[in-house]
Amino acid sequence: MENIKIRLQLHQEWLNNSGGKQLDIENEEFSNITLKDENLNTSIFYNTKFESSIFRNLNLGGSSFFNCTFSAVNFEKSFLRKCEFHQCKFINCNFSEDEITKAEFYDTSMEFCAFNKIKFGWSYFGDCFISDTTFSVIELDSLAFIDSKFINVGFEEAKFNIKYPVKINDQLNIIDIDQLKIAIED
């Protein structure tokens, strides 16, 4: 844990243009860690595993994740705007009161996850697999799922925007929960 604290400090210095080094983590595993109130803006992660951890009030905006695994990770009140996830796996993760706007997910799987009170506007999911996952009280402005597969996925109290509808695979202009449920079943 001491090693990560040093790298977080160096990243803060880098963000403040006072030396330091951008956070760039590769081929590491983190288990049972709690990261809170940290600015990890524009960090880069390759082949990194996070297990049984808590990310509370983190700024991960603009960060990139390549072939990363998140298992039993709780994201609480975190900022993931403009994050990119490539070939990542989310297993048994909880997202609560996070902003995940303009995020991009490519060839990513989400299994047994829960999203509650999330801002998802303008996010893109391409060739993703989502199963046994719930989305509750979420904002869906212009959300797009393209070439994605859904198994046992539930949406509750989704907030739609008529001007900026949802797109799921070949179904366009989804503006209510009934249309959404039909689209994920196809």
Side-chain angles (χ1 to χ4, degrees):
M1 187 64 175
E2 192 61 36
N3 185 19
I4 190 69
K5 288 182 181 179
I6 292 168
R7 290 193 277 177
L8 292 174
Q9 179 60 39
L10 289 171
H11 186 70
Q12 295 311 308
E13 292 171 10
W14 179 78
L15 286 172
N16 294 327
N17 294 318
S18 57
K21 182 179 177 187
Q22 182 180 22
L23 187 62
D24 188 343
I25 295 178
E26 186 172 358
N27 298 321
E28 293 196 39
E29 293 185 22
F30 299 96
S31 184
N32 297 306
I33 64 168
T34 298
L35 294 174
K36 64 180 182 176
D37 303 320
E38 295 283 351
N39 185 356
L40 304 181
N41 192 27
T42 65
S43 297
I44 302 170
F45 300 87
Y46 298 94
N47 302 315
T48 304
K49 294 182 181 180
F50 299 95
E51 185 175 350
S52 301
S53 297
I54 297 172
F55 293 172
R56 183 177 299 128
N57 198 31
L58 288 188
N59 177 359
L60 289 164
S63 294
S64 298
F65 299 84
F66 301 91
N67 196 35
C68 294
T69 300
F70 301 85
S71 180
V73 175
N74 290 335
F75 293 83
E76 303 167 358
K77 296 182 179 179
S78 291
F79 186 77
L80 290 88
R81 182 176 172 85
K82 293 188 176 182
C83 280
E84 289 186 21
F85 298 91
H86 299 266
Q87 298 174 323
C88 292
K89 294 179 184 176
F90 294 87
I91 305 160
N92 198 30
C93 293
N94 290 307
F95 295 80
S96 179
E97 299 182 50
D98 301 306
E99 181 173 335
I100 311 176
T101 55
K102 295 188 177 182
E104 298 176 6
F105 299 84
Y106 299 97
D107 193 21
T108 291
S109 67
M110 296 179 177
E111 300 177 64
F112 303 100
C113 293
F115 293 85
N116 187 33
K117 296 181 182 174
I118 304 295
K119 293 180 181 179
F120 253 129
W122 304 93
S123 289
Y124 175 87
F125 292 78
D127 196 28
C128 292
F129 175 74
I130 303 169
S131 76
D132 300 291
T133 294
T134 59
F135 295 88
S136 302
V137 192
I138 58 172
E139 293 180 18
L140 300 173
D141 299 2
S142 196
L143 183 67
F145 290 96
I146 306 301
D147 297 324
S148 294
K149 295 173 184 68
F150 303 89
I151 298 174
N152 197 27
V153 175
F155 286 88
E156 300 171 4
E157 296 184 51
K159 297 176 185 175
F160 294 86
N161 186 324
I162 294 172
K163 288 185 180 181
Y164 306 108
V166 173
K167 179 178 181 179
I168 296 182
N169 299 329
D170 295 330
Q171 306 225 9
L172 305 174
N173 300 324
I174 298 168
I175 56 171
D176 66 43
I177 195 71
D178 293 330
Q179 290 175 331
L180 181 64
K181 287 177 181 178
I182 290 168
I184 64 174
E185 291 173 4
D186 285 347

